[in-house]
Amino acid sequence: EWLVEQLATSTAAWRLWANPSVLSTTFSPDVPEDLLEPLRKLKLMHPEEIRCDPDQWDGYPAERDAILAHVEAEQIEDLVVLPGDIHVGMALDVHRDPFAAAEGRTPLAVELITASLTSQNLDDKFGYAYGGSRVAQDRFVDAFPHARWADFDGHGYLVVDLDHERLEASWWFVDGVLEHSDGQFCAASYQVPRGRPELV
């Protein structure tokens, strides 16, 4: 009740929802076979069964839908969800039902997920070099229509820069975490125009 009231009554240009778990759907009963193990390793689905991981918002579908229904009904604009704790970077459109969302349907919000600084992500868990998860990343973006970008290997941080007219999100990854290094690179960057919840 507190959350939906704050979203509805805020007069801020942007509504930034810091959230410990992924709001968007990361599980589907029709998930491709070759994505099962990567999603399990990342705790984006149940570790043993073909069902969601209850630690994400997928485990609370009624509560999530109640919040998003309120966002939709009240026409709350400029909402950006900022979660972490899954150790990978992602950019997602937020829909009440992303698999039923018609082509071109406007998202309710955008979700920008920061990668881990040092916690293990997919390449660490499987023991291969950075970039080895590219096939799984691409399969995830193909299988989940609301996923716009994903990186399952990078360690670093997300910079969110905003002004009255636009929000810009940039994922910065370091060259390595096992030894000192000054090297870093921008893996992806998106803008969100004010009044349009879309990742450009």
Side-chain angles (χ1 to χ4, degrees):
E1 290 178 358
W2 174 86
L3 175 62
V4 294
E5 180 183 353
Q6 297 303 310
L7 291 175
T9 59
S10 172
T11 59
W14 297 92
R15 289 153 185 82
L16 305 180
W17 178 9
N19 187 26
S21 297
V22 178
L23 181 69
S24 297
T25 296
T26 61
F27 167 76
S28 165
D30 302 319
V31 66
E33 183 75 25
D34 58 344
L35 261 183
L36 290 175
E37 191 62 18
L39 294 184
R40 285 178 171 142
K41 289 280 189 187
L42 293 172
K43 297 185 178 180
L44 294 177
M45 66 175 287
H46 193 275
E48 298 164 356
E49 302 173 26
I50 305 294
R51 63 185 179 92
C52 68
D53 184 313
D55 194 39
Q56 310 301 337
W57 276 89
D58 277 344
Y60 304 87
E63 292 81 358
R64 173 175 59 193
D65 191 63
I67 294 170
L68 294 180
H70 180 85
V71 169
E72 187 174 48
E74 297 293 325
Q75 298 181 333
I76 295 169
E77 296 184 332
D78 304 311
L79 173 61
V80 179
V81 185
L82 299 170
D85 200 31
I86 60 165
H87 308 170
V88 298
M90 289 198 283
L92 305 159
D93 295 327
V94 177
H95 294 276
R96 287 179 69 184
D97 184 349
F99 296 102
E103 184 70 28
R105 184 174 176 186
T106 302
L108 297 175
V110 299
E111 185 164 22
L112 310 169
I113 303 170
T114 186
S116 70
L117 287 172
T118 58
S119 294
Q120 287 191 330
N121 43 29
L122 205 57
D123 60 339
D124 301 312
K125 292 181 179 185
F126 279 125
Y128 46 65
Y130 175 79
S133 299
R134 188 161 290 118
V135 170
Q137 294 163 191
D138 293 347
R139 287 287 280 156
F140 179 82
V141 172
D142 289 342
F144 291 82
H146 56 297
R148 300 291 304 281
W149 173 82
D151 187 295
F152 291 169
D153 291 349
H155 291 287
Y157 55 95
L158 171 65
V159 174
V160 176
D161 178 75
L162 54 87
D163 59 26
H164 196 269
E165 298 304 324
R166 63 95 183 106
L167 178 147
E168 184 171 88
S170 300
W171 285 261
W172 286 88
F173 294 157
V174 296
D175 289 344
V177 296
L178 298 180
E179 55 190 38
H180 291 290
S181 171
D182 293 331
Q184 64 176 341
F185 60 97
C186 183
S189 185
Y190 283 91
Q191 284 198 359
V192 182
R194 175 94 187 278
R196 296 203 328 263
E198 62 177 317
L199 292 155
V200 179

